Amino acid sequence: MARPTRARINLAAIRHNYRYAKSVSPSSKAVAIIKANAYGHGAVRVAQALEPEVDAFGVACIEEAIELREAGIKAPIMLLEGVFTPDELEMVDQLGFMIAVHTQEQLDWVCAAKPSKPFTVWLKVDSGMHRLGFAPEQAVAVYKQLLACEAVGDITLMTHFARADETSSDATALQMQRFKQCTKGIEAPVAVANSAGLLAWDMARKDWLRPGIMLYGASPILDDKSLEQALKPAMSLESALIAVRDLEAGEPIGYGARFVCDKPIRVGVVAIGYADGYPRHAKDGTPVMVKGVRTRIIGRVSMDMLTVDLTDIPDVKVGDPVELWGEHVLANEVAECSDTIAYTLFTGVTRRVPLVYEN
Ligand SMILES: *Cc1c(COP(=O)(O)O)cnc(C)c1O
């Protein structure tokens, strides 16, 4: 006896997607990005599943990295934004994390530190995203400072793309060009590609890849349907019908009467709502699968429930299974109907939803 709502996490799918990322650029190493609790999939379990074959893990902050070490993960871990305060460097040294350096402040902290062994540093250059990183004209000087700094060992060059998912934009090629130009003459490994970068841009397949969203089976390149075949969705958000009712034409459904029946409709109530992370902004018509049949959401999503059209599904009854997103209804489809992206759907699944692991 339990609320039927859960997110099934297929760890074999995540391993498949990691291998697919590597297969796109076999000579590259990859940092599997598992920040934000592995995009909602559970960082420790995902790390354990990938550890035997992964080159490194990437997280957003030291708290996320410590969680992995405490769970026994021994693989290299990279802090994508580096440290936020200088006192973190002691833990970075103790636990052997790799760190991004993207500001003069971080550079000063690192160079002033006395670690037991030199830090592995990823020097971040801003090639056009204009969020983090040193300006292109500073790149060589900062690299030289790092080289001269006793606390620093290996150095990798990194940058991040703003529009790698837009395959017909020239923005990514421009960022690459600017990055190459400003790092000319520096002998160091290069890491530039997120999922979209490595999938769509040959020129971005360098020494290191940084796949994130693709590990979880959602393609960042929405107009390339072949990627939907290549990647396996890792999360299936599931629930079940808890009520079925027949409504006459003209009857409204749910808060605000957003949907009004245009004909007699059999309506199912599903035990999942926005408090579970299902987007409240999902429009009427958002796809959903009930008992193996694709149908649509009708009416506004409530906190704990939502309503679906069962009219064309034979013999449907209370207890029948519902997939909100997963292998049959792609998270990207739900995202598109909710004016968002798969990233927010995955990271938005709340604590109330148990994660159930397979493999
Ligand atoms: C999150 C992140 C990634 C992964 O991006 P995806 O689009 O999920 O593949 C790569 N690099 C950096 C620096 C990131 O912050």
Side-chain angles (χ1 to χ4, degrees), residues 33 35 39 80 124 158 160 194-195 210-213 343:
I33 306 296
K35 62 192 178 192
Y39 294 44
L80 291 162
K124 186 158 190 175
M158 75 183 290
H160 193 55
N194 56 0
S195 299
R210 302 194 309 265
I213 192 73
Y343 299 70

Side-chain angles (χ1 to χ4, degrees), residues 5-306:
T5 309
R6 62 190 183 270
R8 273 195 304 113
I9 308 294
N10 181 344
L11 296 169
I14 295 176
R15 281 191 293 266
H16 166 90
N17 296 330
Y18 177 78
R19 286 172 197 160
Y20 183 75
K22 294 272 287 198
S23 75
V24 171
S25 182
S27 60
S28 303
K29 293 197 208 178
V31 187
I33 306 296
I34 58 169
K35 62 192 178 192
N37 201 27
Y39 294 44
H41 294 65
V44 168
R45 295 297 298 265
V46 170
Q48 287 166 341
L50 287 177
E51 183 162 37
E53 55 195 298
V54 83
D55 299 307
F57 292 115
V59 296
C61 56
I62 201 164
E63 290 82 355
E64 293 180 342
I66 291 170
E67 184 195 9
L68 296 173
R69 282 284 183 268
E70 284 179 345
I73 298 297
K74 306 271 191 300
I77 301 175
M78 144 93 197
L79 308 186
L80 291 162
E81 293 154 47
V83 294
F84 296 82
T85 53
D87 57 293
E88 291 173 34
L89 288 172
E90 200 179 311
M91 208 55 134
V92 166
D93 178 38
Q94 266 179 41
L95 297 179
F97 301 141
M98 308 190 278
I99 47 173
V101 169
H102 62 81
T103 60
Q104 186 62 46
E105 288 81 355
Q106 287 180 331
L107 181 61
D108 295 342
W109 300 337
V110 164
C111 289
K114 300 261 176 287
S116 63
K117 53 198 174 305
F119 295 121
T120 297
V121 166
W122 291 44
L123 165 55
K124 186 158 190 175
V125 178
D126 176 14
S127 59
M129 170 92 174
H130 297 331
R131 193 179 56 182
L132 297 183
F134 291 94
E137 49 291 1
Q138 295 176 286
V140 168
V142 173
Y143 177 73
K144 285 183 177 157
Q145 276 188 71
L146 285 169
L147 267 188
C149 164
E150 253 178 59
V152 173
D154 293 341
I155 304 170
T156 295
L157 297 173
M158 75 183 290
T159 195
H160 193 55
F161 296 133
R163 301 177 67 183
D165 56 322
E166 298 175 47
T167 51
S168 49
S169 160
D170 60 1
T172 301
L174 274 169
Q175 280 197 257
M176 269 318 285
Q177 196 185 356
R178 204 182 279 172
F179 177 77
K180 269 194 183 151
Q181 188 75 35
C182 76
T183 56
K184 214 192 230 148
I186 299 179
E187 286 286 335
V190 167
V192 295
N194 56 0
S195 299
L198 79 94
L199 290 170
W201 301 90
D202 278 352
M203 63 177 81
R205 296 169 191 155
K206 299 296 194 185
D207 304 275
W208 285 90
L209 313 170
R210 302 194 309 265
I213 192 73
M214 69 179 294
L215 299 177
Y216 310 101
S219 169
I221 318 281
L222 298 178
D223 51 14
D224 183 349
K225 297 292 169 199
S226 71
L227 289 170
E228 289 177 4
Q229 308 304 314
L231 299 173
K232 293 192 177 152
M235 179 192 288
S236 296
L237 185 64
E238 299 175 343
S239 188
L241 295 176
I242 57 168
V244 176
R245 64 206 331 97
D246 289 294
L247 295 181
E248 298 297 331
E251 293 296 331
I253 301 174
Y255 287 119
R258 184 180 73 178
F259 184 87
V260 177
C261 298
D262 54 345
K263 56 182 184 191
I265 288 183
R266 177 161 292 176
V267 179
V269 181
V270 183
I272 192 164
Y274 60 78
D276 301 293
Y278 192 89
R280 182 171 175 275
H281 291 102
K283 298 185 182 75
D284 290 326
T286 300
V288 58
M289 180 137 130
V290 180
K291 207 184 164 189
V293 181
R294 273 174 75 103
T295 179
R296 57 178 181 149
I297 304 282
I298 46 177
R300 218 178 251 168
V301 173
S302 308
M303 186 182 287
D304 314 310
M305 287 171 271
L306 56 77

